[in-house]
Structure formats: C-alpha cells, structure tokens
Amino acid sequence: PTRKRPREGVSFSETVTVRPIPHSCTLSALQRRRMYTTSMEVRQNKTKSKKEYRYDGYDWRHATEEWEMSVDMVTGELIHPAHEQLV
C-alpha cells in the first residue's frame, strides 16, 4: 500500500481569537522585566551569537544543529560547542 505524503506548505485556520495587547506603560515593573529584554541582555546575546557564527565558519548553511550541542545538566539548556569550556 502506498502512503500519502503529508501536504507541504503553510495553512491558516478560518477561525481565530483576537486578543488585545496591552500597552507597555500599563504593565507592572515585574511584567516588563519578564517580557522585555534589557539593553545589557541584547549586547550579551549579540556577543554570544557572533561567537557561535564565527565557530560555524560565518556560514548559516553550516550552523551547528541542536543534536550537535551538549546539554547543561542543571538547566537542561543546549550549549553550543563554541561555549564549551576546556577542562
């Protein structure tokens, strides 16, 4: 028996739920901290991404896949090989 291949592509539901997004000034300080990135975090992420991009040879086609990364045993987060510490 032949199996039908799943249809490729993107589809959208005809029914949706519209939810209002509150303006950031209506959020508490705690909500803002949880939802938005600080400029310091943006700088840290940029540095981290540049290091990973350099490790991958400056070519997105050679980007390290998740299965090639190690796992932090405490947090469960994936660790890119560019950040592994030499022992």
Side-chain angles (χ1 to χ4, degrees):
T2 59
R3 292 177 63 184
K4 263 191 170 178
R5 241 180 116 191
R7 195 169 163 201
E8 292 183 19
V10 176
S11 63
F12 297 93
S13 176
E14 294 293 325
T15 57
V16 297
T17 302
V18 177
R19 299 190 188 267
I21 300 173
H23 193 279
S24 61
C25 68
T26 65
L27 302 173
S28 71
L30 177 61
Q31 289 172 315
R32 281 195 301 277
R33 277 196 305 275
R34 288 183 176 167
M35 292 178 68
Y36 296 102
T37 306
T38 66
S39 57
M40 173 64 87
E41 289 172 313
V42 170
R43 283 192 295 277
Q44 290 171 339
N45 288 335
K46 177 182 174 186
T47 301
K48 181 179 170 184
S49 293
K50 286 171 75 173
K51 184 176 183 179
E52 293 169 1
Y53 192 54
R54 182 173 50 249
Y55 179 91
D56 293 332
Y58 300 101
D59 186 351
W60 61 269
R61 292 174 204 84
H62 299 119
T64 302
E65 299 290 343
E66 290 181 355
W67 60 268
E68 298 173 293
M69 298 183 191
S70 56
V71 178
D72 183 297
M73 299 309 271
V74 175
T75 65
E77 292 182 52
L78 294 173
I79 302 171
H80 191 284
H83 307 294
E84 290 182 350
Q85 300 296 321
L86 297 175
V87 181

PDB file of all heavy atoms in Angstrom, residues 14 21 24-26 29 38 41 44-45 48 53 57-58 62 65 69 75 81 86:
ATOM      1  N   GLU A  14      -9.531  29.233   9.604  1.00  0.00           N
ATOM      2  CA  GLU A  14     -10.521  30.249   9.242  1.00  0.00           C
ATOM      3  C   GLU A  14     -11.039  30.976  10.483  1.00  0.00           C
ATOM      4  O   GLU A  14     -11.516  32.089  10.411  1.00  0.00           O
ATOM      5  CB  GLU A  14     -11.688  29.596   8.492  1.00  0.00           C
ATOM      6  CG  GLU A  14     -11.307  29.031   7.138  1.00  0.00           C
ATOM      7  CD  GLU A  14     -10.915  30.107   6.144  1.00  0.00           C
ATOM      8  OE1 GLU A  14     -11.507  31.210   6.172  1.00  0.00           O
ATOM      9  OE2 GLU A  14     -10.003  29.858   5.341  1.00  0.00           O
ATOM     10  N   ILE A  21      -3.498  43.458  23.025  1.00  0.00           N
ATOM     11  CA  ILE A  21      -2.163  43.502  23.621  1.00  0.00           C
ATOM     12  C   ILE A  21      -2.065  44.814  24.392  1.00  0.00           C
ATOM     13  O   ILE A  21      -2.183  45.890  23.805  1.00  0.00           O
ATOM     14  CB  ILE A  21      -1.067  43.425  22.540  1.00  0.00           C
ATOM     15  CG1 ILE A  21      -1.208  42.118  21.763  1.00  0.00           C
ATOM     16  CG2 ILE A  21       0.310  43.571  23.163  1.00  0.00           C
ATOM     17  CD1 ILE A  21      -0.302  42.009  20.574  1.00  0.00           C
ATOM     18  N   SER A  24       2.771  48.849  26.855  1.00  0.00           N
ATOM     19  CA  SER A  24       3.801  48.548  27.854  1.00  0.00           C
ATOM     20  C   SER A  24       3.703  49.438  29.093  1.00  0.00           C
ATOM     21  O   SER A  24       4.081  49.014  30.184  1.00  0.00           O
ATOM     22  CB  SER A  24       5.188  48.666  27.231  1.00  0.00           C
ATOM     23  OG  SER A  24       5.409  49.971  26.763  1.00  0.00           O
ATOM     24  N   CYS A  25       3.177  50.644  28.955  1.00  0.00           N
ATOM     25  CA  CYS A  25       3.085  51.531  30.126  1.00  0.00           C
ATOM     26  C   CYS A  25       2.022  51.051  31.115  1.00  0.00           C
ATOM     27  O   CYS A  25       2.004  51.494  32.261  1.00  0.00           O
ATOM     28  CB  CYS A  25       2.830  52.976  29.699  1.00  0.00           C
ATOM     29  SG  CYS A  25       1.200  53.244  28.982  1.00  0.00           S
ATOM     30  N   THR A  26       1.151  50.140  30.702  1.00  0.00           N
ATOM     31  CA  THR A  26       0.128  49.610  31.612  1.00  0.00           C
ATOM     32  C   THR A  26       0.614  48.378  32.371  1.00  0.00           C
ATOM     33  O   THR A  26      -0.079  47.885  33.249  1.00  0.00           O
ATOM     34  CB  THR A  26      -1.160  49.249  30.854  1.00  0.00           C
ATOM     35  OG1 THR A  26      -0.887  48.177  29.946  1.00  0.00           O
ATOM     36  CG2 THR A  26      -1.720  50.440  30.098  1.00  0.00           C
ATOM     37  N   ALA A  29       6.213  46.677  36.718  1.00  0.00           N
ATOM     38  CA  ALA A  29       7.665  46.554  36.512  1.00  0.00           C
ATOM     39  C   ALA A  29       8.054  45.087  36.355  1.00  0.00           C
ATOM     40  O   ALA A  29       8.885  44.751  35.517  1.00  0.00           O
ATOM     41  CB  ALA A  29       8.413  47.189  37.678  1.00  0.00           C
ATOM     42  N   THR A  38      16.571  43.662  28.341  1.00  0.00           N
ATOM     43  CA  THR A  38      17.309  44.899  28.635  1.00  0.00           C
ATOM     44  C   THR A  38      18.387  45.102  27.575  1.00  0.00           C
ATOM     45  O   THR A  38      18.780  44.164  26.868  1.00  0.00           O
ATOM     46  CB  THR A  38      17.976  44.828  30.025  1.00  0.00           C
ATOM     47  OG1 THR A  38      18.982  43.818  29.992  1.00  0.00           O
ATOM     48  CG2 THR A  38      16.975  44.540  31.123  1.00  0.00           C
ATOM     49  N   GLU A  41      21.211  42.693  28.103  1.00  0.00           N
ATOM     50  CA  GLU A  41      20.942  41.340  27.598  1.00  0.00           C
ATOM     51  C   GLU A  41      21.087  41.283  26.073  1.00  0.00           C
ATOM     52  O   GLU A  41      21.600  40.304  25.541  1.00  0.00           O
ATOM     53  CB  GLU A  41      19.540  40.884  27.998  1.00  0.00           C
ATOM     54  CG  GLU A  41      19.395  40.586  29.472  1.00  0.00           C
ATOM     55  CD  GLU A  41      17.954  40.320  29.870  1.00  0.00           C
ATOM     56  OE1 GLU A  41      17.068  41.105  29.474  1.00  0.00           O
ATOM     57  OE2 GLU A  41      17.715  39.329  30.571  1.00  0.00           O
ATOM     58  N   GLN A  44      24.779  41.135  25.369  1.00  0.00           N
ATOM     59  CA  GLN A  44      25.311  39.811  25.693  1.00  0.00           C
ATOM     60  C   GLN A  44      24.906  38.784  24.635  1.00  0.00           C
ATOM     61  O   GLN A  44      25.725  37.948  24.224  1.00  0.00           O
ATOM     62  CB  GLN A  44      24.825  39.365  27.074  1.00  0.00           C
ATOM     63  CG  GLN A  44      25.444  40.150  28.203  1.00  0.00           C
ATOM     64  CD  GLN A  44      24.792  39.857  29.543  1.00  0.00           C
ATOM     65  OE1 GLN A  44      23.662  39.381  29.627  1.00  0.00           O
ATOM     66  NE2 GLN A  44      25.516  40.158  30.623  1.00  0.00           N
ATOM     67  N   ASN A  45      23.650  38.835  24.197  1.00  0.00           N
ATOM     68  CA  ASN A  45      23.181  37.900  23.166  1.00  0.00           C
ATOM     69  C   ASN A  45      23.889  38.127  21.837  1.00  0.00           C
ATOM     70  O   ASN A  45      24.194  37.180  21.117  1.00  0.00           O
ATOM     71  CB  ASN A  45      21.660  38.003  22.991  1.00  0.00           C
ATOM     72  CG  ASN A  45      20.913  37.412  24.164  1.00  0.00           C
ATOM     73  OD1 ASN A  45      21.425  36.552  24.881  1.00  0.00           O
ATOM     74  ND2 ASN A  45      19.690  37.878  24.366  1.00  0.00           N
ATOM     75  N   LYS A  48      27.333  36.591  22.143  1.00  0.00           N
ATOM     76  CA  LYS A  48      27.190  35.134  22.103  1.00  0.00           C
ATOM     77  C   LYS A  48      26.928  34.656  20.668  1.00  0.00           C
ATOM     78  O   LYS A  48      27.547  33.708  20.184  1.00  0.00           O
ATOM     79  CB  LYS A  48      26.041  34.718  23.021  1.00  0.00           C
ATOM     80  CG  LYS A  48      25.796  33.249  23.106  1.00  0.00           C
ATOM     81  CD  LYS A  48      24.637  32.965  24.061  1.00  0.00           C
ATOM     82  CE  LYS A  48      24.222  31.519  23.978  1.00  0.00           C
ATOM     83  NZ  LYS A  48      23.050  31.241  24.810  1.00  0.00           N
ATOM     84  N   TYR A  53      28.501  32.210  15.428  1.00  0.00           N
ATOM     85  CA  TYR A  53      28.588  32.387  13.977  1.00  0.00           C
ATOM     86  C   TYR A  53      30.030  32.187  13.505  1.00  0.00           C
ATOM     87  O   TYR A  53      30.284  31.538  12.489  1.00  0.00           O
ATOM     88  CB  TYR A  53      28.073  33.780  13.620  1.00  0.00           C
ATOM     89  CG  TYR A  53      27.841  34.009  12.144  1.00  0.00           C
ATOM     90  CD1 TYR A  53      27.031  33.169  11.393  1.00  0.00           C
ATOM     91  CD2 TYR A  53      28.423  35.102  11.503  1.00  0.00           C
ATOM     92  CE1 TYR A  53      26.820  33.398  10.047  1.00  0.00           C
ATOM     93  CE2 TYR A  53      28.206  35.337  10.156  1.00  0.00           C
ATOM     94  CZ  TYR A  53      27.410  34.482   9.441  1.00  0.00           C
ATOM     95  OH  TYR A  53      27.195  34.706   8.105  1.00  0.00           O
ATOM     96  N   GLY A  57      31.901  29.032  11.035  1.00  0.00           N
ATOM     97  CA  GLY A  57      32.562  29.411   9.791  1.00  0.00           C
ATOM     98  C   GLY A  57      31.891  30.545   9.042  1.00  0.00           C
ATOM     99  O   GLY A  57      32.044  30.662   7.823  1.00  0.00           O
ATOM    100  N   TYR A  58      31.153  31.381   9.750  1.00  0.00           N
ATOM    101  CA  TYR A  58      30.461  32.527   9.139  1.00  0.00           C
ATOM    102  C   TYR A  58      29.529  32.103   8.004  1.00  0.00           C
ATOM    103  O   TYR A  58      29.338  32.828   7.037  1.00  0.00           O
ATOM    104  CB  TYR A  58      31.460  33.573   8.625  1.00  0.00           C
ATOM    105  CG  TYR A  58      32.346  34.135   9.710  1.00  0.00           C
ATOM    106  CD1 TYR A  58      33.648  33.681   9.865  1.00  0.00           C
ATOM    107  CD2 TYR A  58      31.860  35.111  10.566  1.00  0.00           C
ATOM    108  CE1 TYR A  58      34.458  34.195  10.880  1.00  0.00           C
ATOM    109  CE2 TYR A  58      32.668  35.628  11.574  1.00  0.00           C
ATOM    110  CZ  TYR A  58      33.964  35.169  11.720  1.00  0.00           C
ATOM    111  OH  TYR A  58      34.759  35.671  12.717  1.00  0.00           O
ATOM    112  N   HIS A  62      26.221  26.012   7.573  1.00  0.00           N
ATOM    113  CA  HIS A  62      26.999  25.109   8.419  1.00  0.00           C
ATOM    114  C   HIS A  62      26.704  25.326   9.899  1.00  0.00           C
ATOM    115  O   HIS A  62      27.505  24.955  10.751  1.00  0.00           O
ATOM    116  CB  HIS A  62      28.500  25.291   8.152  1.00  0.00           C
ATOM    117  CG  HIS A  62      28.870  24.980   6.746  1.00  0.00           C
ATOM    118  ND1 HIS A  62      29.427  25.906   5.916  1.00  0.00           N
ATOM    119  CD2 HIS A  62      28.724  23.854   6.005  1.00  0.00           C
ATOM    120  CE1 HIS A  62      29.628  25.368   4.723  1.00  0.00           C
ATOM    121  NE2 HIS A  62      29.209  24.125   4.754  1.00  0.00           N
ATOM    122  N   GLU A  65      23.731  22.180  14.579  1.00  0.00           N
ATOM    123  CA  GLU A  65      22.373  21.711  14.839  1.00  0.00           C
ATOM    124  C   GLU A  65      22.220  21.360  16.319  1.00  0.00           C
ATOM    125  O   GLU A  65      23.198  21.108  17.012  1.00  0.00           O
ATOM    126  CB  GLU A  65      22.066  20.479  13.982  1.00  0.00           C
ATOM    127  CG  GLU A  65      22.138  20.731  12.488  1.00  0.00           C
ATOM    128  CD  GLU A  65      21.016  21.616  11.961  1.00  0.00           C
ATOM    129  OE1 GLU A  65      19.995  21.793  12.666  1.00  0.00           O
ATOM    130  OE2 GLU A  65      21.160  22.137  10.845  1.00  0.00           O
ATOM    131  N   MET A  69      24.870  19.742  19.909  1.00  0.00           N
ATOM    132  CA  MET A  69      25.170  20.511  21.114  1.00  0.00           C
ATOM    133  C   MET A  69      25.108  19.614  22.337  1.00  0.00           C
ATOM    134  O   MET A  69      24.490  18.569  22.330  1.00  0.00           O
ATOM    135  CB  MET A  69      24.168  21.660  21.257  1.00  0.00           C
ATOM    136  CG  MET A  69      24.215  22.652  20.121  1.00  0.00           C
ATOM    137  SD  MET A  69      23.083  24.003  20.431  1.00  0.00           S
ATOM    138  CE  MET A  69      23.084  24.803  18.834  1.00  0.00           C
ATOM    139  N   THR A  75      20.416  23.051  34.064  1.00  0.00           N
ATOM    140  CA  THR A  75      19.300  23.817  33.492  1.00  0.00           C
ATOM    141  C   THR A  75      18.589  23.091  32.363  1.00  0.00           C
ATOM    142  O   THR A  75      17.462  23.431  32.028  1.00  0.00           O
ATOM    143  CB  THR A  75      19.793  25.168  32.949  1.00  0.00           C
ATOM    144  OG1 THR A  75      20.685  24.915  31.847  1.00  0.00           O
ATOM    145  CG2 THR A  75      20.501  25.966  34.024  1.00  0.00           C
ATOM    146  N   PRO A  81      28.825  24.330  20.933  1.00  0.00           N
ATOM    147  CA  PRO A  81      30.233  23.955  21.128  1.00  0.00           C
ATOM    148  C   PRO A  81      31.167  25.154  21.290  1.00  0.00           C
ATOM    149  O   PRO A  81      32.215  25.040  21.930  1.00  0.00           O
ATOM    150  CB  PRO A  81      30.578  23.159  19.863  1.00  0.00           C
ATOM    151  CG  PRO A  81      29.283  22.696  19.335  1.00  0.00           C
ATOM    152  CD  PRO A  81      28.252  23.700  19.745  1.00  0.00           C
ATOM    153  N   LEU A  86      37.099  24.207  28.061  1.00  0.00           N
ATOM    154  CA  LEU A  86      38.105  23.154  28.010  1.00  0.00           C
ATOM    155  C   LEU A  86      38.542  22.828  29.433  1.00  0.00           C
ATOM    156  O   LEU A  86      38.787  23.723  30.241  1.00  0.00           O
ATOM    157  CB  LEU A  86      39.304  23.599  27.182  1.00  0.00           C
ATOM    158  CG  LEU A  86      39.016  23.876  25.699  1.00  0.00           C
ATOM    159  CD1 LEU A  86      40.273  24.416  25.034  1.00  0.00           C
ATOM    160  CD2 LEU A  86      38.538  22.621  25.013  1.00  0.00           C
TER     161      LEU A  86
END
